[in-house]
Amino acid sequence: ATPEEALAQFTLPDGFEIQLVAAEPELRKPMQLAFDERGRLLVSTSTNYPLGPGPDSPPSDRVLRLTIDDATGQATDIAVFAEGFDICSGIEALPGGRVVLGHAPDILLLEDRDGDGRADTREVLYTGFKRDDTHEIPNSFTWGADGWLYGLQGHVNRSDVTDKNGVTTAIHHGNVYRMRPDGSAIEVWARGM
């Protein structure tokens, strides 16, 4: 079905509407979405999921930034913010055009320092997330009212995660964790599935 045909299949509650923002081929296999401070939509995409790239192909996953037209709700510009990843999962925006990206074994800080619209730095904030099961790598980044960034990890991966201060935290068996977006602290918030 075309994206337009798919829209016609939705049944919505009274008072709701649905709009087509973007579709294939420009946007393939989105993993997580976040809006930045300018209202642009950030999307982590992974054509490598769940197996990773093939033996003769480099990692090709990307972070896209979509500019949305307020009148139509459609993307007017889809640009590659960063690329060359192998299953990028969780994503969240920080002030100043910076992006936190889950990319096991790391959680990265991506930044466009020269203002050209593409990330030119990648800083490791946390490292040690396991990839034994790629269905359960760092995901679902969400800001808490407490100023911490929350995330999830599935129950199979037993990760021992190290922050920028060298402190290691055990994140095992389907934990909810929270982290400081500067890489200074990570802790388990809820245990179990």
Side-chain angles (χ1 to χ4, degrees):
T2 69
E4 292 77 15
E5 291 169 339
L7 282 178
Q9 301 295 319
F10 281 84
T11 302
L12 301 172
D14 289 341
F16 285 79
E17 67 177 62
I18 189 167
Q19 295 174 323
L20 176 62
V21 175
E24 291 185 337
E26 294 83 17
L27 181 62
R28 294 183 59 216
K29 293 180 81 173
M31 298 289 277
Q32 188 174 353
L33 314 171
F35 285 95
D36 71 9
E37 62 193 343
R38 293 176 49 191
R40 298 173 299 190
L41 183 60
L42 298 163
V43 184
S44 61
T45 66
S46 182
T47 57
N48 293 332
Y49 175 81
L51 303 176
D56 299 321
S57 60
S60 60
D61 293 341
R62 306 183 301 174
V63 173
L64 301 177
R65 189 178 59 221
L66 289 67
T67 302
I68 309 299
D69 181 277
D70 288 338
T72 66
Q74 294 184 331
T76 57
D77 180 53
I78 300 175
V80 176
F81 181 72
E83 60 188 335
F85 300 104
D86 177 15
I87 309 179
C88 49
S89 50
I91 191 169
E92 188 55 76
L94 297 177
R98 298 170 299 145
V99 173
V100 175
L101 181 70
H103 183 248
D106 303 322
I107 293 180
L108 303 172
L109 176 66
L110 309 176
E111 189 171 0
D112 172 18
R113 291 188 176 170
D114 63 9
D116 68 354
R118 291 181 63 95
D120 37 52
T121 63
R122 296 180 185 189
E123 177 185 349
V124 175
L125 298 176
Y126 301 96
T127 192
F129 284 93
K130 295 294 184 191
R131 294 176 55 104
D132 297 330
D133 185 341
T134 59
H135 299 79
E136 302 179 353
I137 55 181
N139 66 85
S140 303
F141 294 171
T142 305
W143 283 111
D146 55 7
W148 291 69
L149 186 58
Y150 287 73
L152 302 176
Q153 175 186 266
H155 73 282
V156 172
N157 291 333
R158 294 178 51 91
S159 300
D160 294 305
V161 180
T162 304
D163 65 25
K164 289 175 68 174
N165 296 316
V167 176
T168 300
T169 302
I171 301 178
H172 299 172
H173 301 302
N175 295 158
V176 176
Y177 54 90
R178 67 180 191 166
M179 58 188 156
R180 293 287 186 196
D182 62 0
S184 64
I186 189 167
E187 60 186 40
V188 173
W189 183 250
R191 299 187 185 280
M193 299 172 28

